[in-house]
Amino acid sequence: MILDSLGESGFVSFRDLESRVAASPATIRRDLDRLEEAGIITRVRGGAKRVGGGGAPTASEDGLSGVPFHENIGRNRAAKEAIGRAAAGFCIPGEGVMIDGGSTTLQMCPHLDGLSLQVLTNSLHIVSALLPQPTTRILIPSGQVFREQNIVLSAAGDDGMPRFHAPKLFMGAASMGPAGLMQADVILVAAERRLIERADEIIVLVDSSKFSGPSGNVVCALDEIDIVVTDAGIEPRHVAMMEAAGIRVVIA
């Protein structure tokens, strides 16, 4: 069952294994250890990947794969600000929401002031932006701080999230395509799956450049996404691709 769960991507998160396999976390860890000893899989932070299968890359102890936050924040800034403003419009005063770390989701923060939201986020940048808002309550998970993205992620197999369920999850992506929403690092995949499992509605914030970006590790399929907020540079074929999957596309 573990090997079947690796699927086409060659990677499976520990969280997904727990939900699919009727076994204790300790049993799953022992089976992963046995498969690794046999040279079939490699244990990585957040799960396991197939040996030689071209699956998800491992993350080094020093940091995450992908573009560092300080480099990404200035890219397509005007589009990201417009997307963030439009996405904030989906928030209802007084509700609880989850906001995943990212340079686009960060742009929501100025428009949340006065809504009396309860916000669960793994981003220290978002925490800093929300702190001056007296009526915004902030929750963060436990785990390790990754400086490149300034986010907090829990270790493999450890769910450091508070017991929190929200009607909406706002998240970004390294890229999007027919396979779905993608990230550069397997650690982010595992962390974002934990958020997805706690949300009723998935709202993705991506500027139009993300549809021509490189492929990556799939976080979720297109049919798991409810709304995509993007900018006017989006190509009609990409809009058609999302609408065919049942996604509501909002042009900021």
Side-chain angles (χ1 to χ4, degrees), residues 25-244:
T27 298
I28 295 172
R29 290 190 184 94
R30 283 195 296 271
D31 286 345
L32 291 173
D33 288 341
R34 292 188 186 103
L35 289 169
E36 186 172 46
E37 289 170 5
I40 300 171
I41 67 165
T42 300
R43 296 288 296 275
V44 297
R45 197 193 307 272
K49 73 168 188 173
R50 186 184 296 114
V51 170
T58 60
S60 73
E61 293 295 328
D62 297 325
L64 299 174
S65 304
V67 181
F69 188 92
H70 70 274
E71 294 181 17
N72 204 27
I73 186 67
R75 295 181 178 179
N76 305 310
R77 183 62 178 262
K80 290 178 179 180
E81 289 177 352
I83 291 168
R85 185 184 309 111
F90 288 104
C91 295
I92 299 172
E95 73 176 346
V97 300
M98 294 182 288
I99 305 178
D100 191 32
S103 59
T104 309
T105 52
L106 176 64
Q107 303 306 323
M108 292 178 62
C109 295
H111 310 287
L112 303 180
D113 195 9
L115 295 181
S116 300
L117 299 179
Q118 185 173 16
V119 178
L120 171 64
T121 184
N122 57 9
S123 168
L124 298 181
H125 287 294
I126 290 175
V127 170
S128 296
L130 296 177
L131 277 175
Q133 301 178 10
T135 64
T136 301
R137 293 175 291 166
I138 306 166
L139 293 173
I140 59 172
S142 62
Q144 179 180 346
V145 175
F146 288 82
R147 291 177 176 83
E148 300 83 1
Q149 306 297 340
N150 214 12
I151 58 176
V152 181
L153 302 176
S154 59
D158 173 34
D159 190 355
M161 290 289 180
R163 292 187 179 276
F164 191 81
H165 186 89
K168 301 180 185 76
L169 164 62
F170 297 90
M171 60 192 304
S175 59
M176 280 192 72
L181 183 152
M182 291 169 280
Q183 290 289 10
D185 201 291
V186 295
I187 304 178
L188 292 174
V189 173
E192 290 180 342
R193 285 306 309 179
R194 294 187 186 109
L195 294 175
I196 288 170
E197 291 164 5
R198 288 167 164 77
D200 295 329
E201 190 173 36
I202 310 301
I203 303 174
V204 176
L205 285 62
V206 282
D207 68 79
S208 55
S209 71
K210 298 296 178 69
F211 292 88
S212 57
S215 60
N217 303 289
V218 177
V219 177
C220 65
L222 291 178
D223 60 9
E224 294 183 74
I225 299 168
D226 297 286
I227 300 172
V228 168
V229 187
T230 187
D231 61 81
I234 186 80
E235 296 183 22
R237 62 189 178 98
H238 293 142
V239 174
M241 173 189 72
M242 291 186 286
E243 290 180 340

